[in-house]
Amino acid sequence: MMFLLLFLLGTDFMVVDDVKPGMTGYGLTVFQGTKIDTFQVKIIAVMKKEVIKGDVILAEISGGIIDTAGIISGMSGSPVYIDGKLVGALAYSYGAFAKKPLAGITPIDEMLNPPSIGWMAPKGRFCQMQVPFYCYGLDDEILHELSESIPCFNIFRVQDLGSGLLNDSILPSPGSSLGIPLVVGDINWFAVGTCTYKDGDKILGFGHPMASLGETELPMTAGYIYSIVPSSYNSYKLGASTKIIGTIKNDNQRGIVGVIGKIPDMVEFSLFINGKRFHYHIVKERTFIPHLLHGLVLYSIYTGFKGSGDMTISANLEVNGTHSFHFENLYTGTAQAISKSIFEIFEFIQNNPFHKIDVANISLNLTTSERIKLAKIDKFWSDKTQVKTGDTLNLLLSLSTYQEGLHTERISIPIPRWAQPGELIVKVESGSSVCSNERANLTTLDGLIVWLSRAPKNNELVLRLSQKGKSSWIMGRKFTSLPPSMAPIGKDKESMSEVFEKRIATQWVIVGEGLIKLNVK
């Protein structure tokens, strides 16, 4: 195998077994603009099996701004040459407080033939060089949210300096910047690393995984570097992404693999806040979609409505693709909590265990108010303790509202003719509580989508009459008193059979529940 690899590598490459301590060479990277600069490299050691199924070449790097800034985020993938032969790519930093910049180099032979095993952290004091992810327009709260949800990136909040460069067509070459835009549109969010090797239309870069996605389809661009921002903690390149010129096809343990020419599809995201439109395109990588949507909604709310505090939002989400679905709901609380709730439902659908969903476009319409619309079920009582079929049962429900006092809801319901003699449970609860319990019973994607369109809303009261028995769920719908031949199709929910249900819409997001026990004569 090694002889075949050596033959394939040819004379322009140096395999790791030929690298010796004391060798010197140079590396290529961009420190400003698109100009490729050199830096010096001195080999310290070849550390065998330092990463899973692979070696790391330890080297001291120097020259120019590196002498003061040290290892710089965005240099991942910078090619290293010895005697004019490509050795590998900068991929790791070594030691948190080294007096000289020490870097780990991923051998080029491993980048060309990466192991199939999933990524594992390197041993010892090696740390994967961080990939800077530039997010324009973020405040501290959104930055924190994204950092928590997408930990593979070193997220920087910067001013929108580079949106005008997106139309520039620049083809990457060894040492040039590589960009991976995750969001383009009204704002642009993207990651930046360095191109290691180019063979025709094929590109290798980074020298380490970006997010360990495996096979993927992410847009690929070249990049423009404005400046290096030096820091004793974490220096980084301040850059911009240019026009999309290809696709990242693989994100593996030894780097990323891209192809120039094919432009990947992106998800169109249209967001309306009180009629104001925001327009974005986001990557189709399912790992990122919910988190990017969440960040974009927060950014747009803060830009188009208000920057902090509690609020009430009416949301209407429509998703189209291989499977289409929509839902509407009312939320109250902080923008972060509301956005998370909306996209928890989206993520639940997207990551369903039944069928893969390919999303083409998403539309989210938000109507906002600064008022907090929240009510808690306080008291629940009836005018009778004994009933018979055909009776009308009068119920009183007291809601304790936020800053609006007590509200009393009067509800009249018939006792169904199919109710059996014995105990009758009358229960009222919030729509959100009902949804939480019902969601676990869904067993098909069609059932899930049907349930989503019919599920009670957060501002609805759900009143149910139940008696001892069995109920089953089929295709996302609940059925009671099924014949024995049908019962195995569904999933037993509980030992209580629902005999009546009524929903009451309110102007508040409801929390809590109430319960009454009656006797049917």
Side-chain angles (χ1 to χ4, degrees), residues 314-332:
S314 174
N316 186 324
L317 179 69
E318 184 170 344
V319 178
N320 294 302
T322 52
H323 295 77
S324 298
F325 59 92
H326 76 277
F327 71 90
E328 303 175 36
N329 221 326
L330 185 73
Y331 302 89
T332 197

Side-chain angles (χ1 to χ4, degrees), residues 258-475:
V259 177
I260 297 172
K262 182 181 182 297
I263 308 299
D265 293 331
M266 299 184 78
V267 178
E268 182 179 9
F269 179 38
S270 297
L271 174 62
F272 301 85
I273 301 180
N274 299 332
K276 181 178 180 180
R277 185 173 188 253
F278 298 83
H279 191 235
Y280 310 104
H281 285 85
I282 63 177
V283 294
K284 280 201 168 186
E285 175 54 56
R286 58 193 297 114
T287 306
F288 294 146
I289 291 177
H291 309 302
L292 294 174
L293 290 172
H294 174 55
L296 289 171
V297 167
L298 290 183
Y299 163 77
S300 304
I301 288 176
Y302 292 167
T303 301
F305 177 54
K306 63 181 292 189
S308 62
D310 290 328
M311 61 193 74
T312 297
I313 293 180
S314 174
N316 186 324
L317 179 69
E318 184 170 344
V319 178
N320 294 302
T322 52
H323 295 77
S324 298
F325 59 92
H326 76 277
F327 71 90
E328 303 175 36
N329 221 326
L330 185 73
Y331 302 89
T332 197
T334 64
Q336 295 97 315
I338 292 171
S339 179
K340 275 187 176 180
S341 295
I342 294 171
F343 291 113
E344 277 176 0
I345 296 294
F346 173 85
E347 191 170 14
F348 179 66
I349 298 284
Q350 178 194 250
N351 297 332
N352 76 87
F354 315 118
H355 293 283
K356 181 179 179 180
I357 292 180
D358 182 33
V359 178
N361 59 75
I362 301 170
S363 177
L364 177 62
N365 197 322
L366 304 178
T367 303
T368 65
S369 167
E370 293 193 40
R371 295 181 63 189
I372 300 173
K373 302 294 290 182
L374 182 66
K376 180 181 178 182
I377 297 174
D378 184 39
K379 294 180 181 179
F380 183 45
W381 65 99
S382 72
D383 63 341
K384 300 175 182 177
T385 57
Q386 289 195 10
V387 294
K388 61 180 183 293
T389 59
D391 280 355
T392 296
L393 182 64
N394 297 308
L395 303 166
L396 287 175
L397 177 67
S398 177
L399 297 175
S400 177
T401 67
Y402 180 79
Q403 294 185 344
E404 295 180 31
L406 289 175
H407 173 81
T408 301
E409 193 81 31
R410 290 172 171 81
I411 309 168
S412 295
I413 58 173
I415 302 301
R417 65 181 184 278
W418 51 85
Q420 302 297 312
E423 188 177 65
L424 178 70
I425 303 296
V426 184
K427 185 176 183 180
V428 65
E429 58 186 320
S430 64
S432 60
S433 176
V434 171
C435 286
S436 215
N437 294 329
E438 289 182 353
R439 203 161 66 179
N441 296 282
L442 301 169
T443 57
T444 68
L445 179 57
D446 289 338
L448 193 159
I449 292 174
V450 168
W451 167 82
L452 191 65
S453 66
R454 298 176 177 176
K457 309 295 188 290
N458 293 335
N459 62 314
E460 287 185 324
L461 293 162
V462 180
L463 181 69
R464 286 174 169 171
L465 305 184
S466 301
Q467 291 188 301
K468 288 184 178 180
K470 285 189 176 182
S471 60
S472 295
W473 286 77
I474 300 176
M475 294 293 289

Side-chain angles (χ1 to χ4, degrees), residues 28-80:
L28 300 178
T29 201
V30 174
F31 295 125
Q32 190 167 32
T34 58
K35 178 178 176 292
I36 298 175
D37 289 308
T38 62
F39 57 91
Q40 283 68 57
V41 177
K42 180 179 178 181
I43 304 301
I44 305 298
V46 176
M47 306 179 78
K48 293 292 185 179
K49 307 304 177 187
E50 188 65 23
V51 294
I52 191 73
K53 288 194 174 181
D55 305 330
V56 176
I57 302 167
L58 179 64
E60 179 185 318
I61 64 174
S62 61
I65 196 169
I66 290 176
D67 294 337
T68 55
I71 303 292
I72 300 167
S73 290
M75 290 184 70
S76 294
S78 297
V80 172

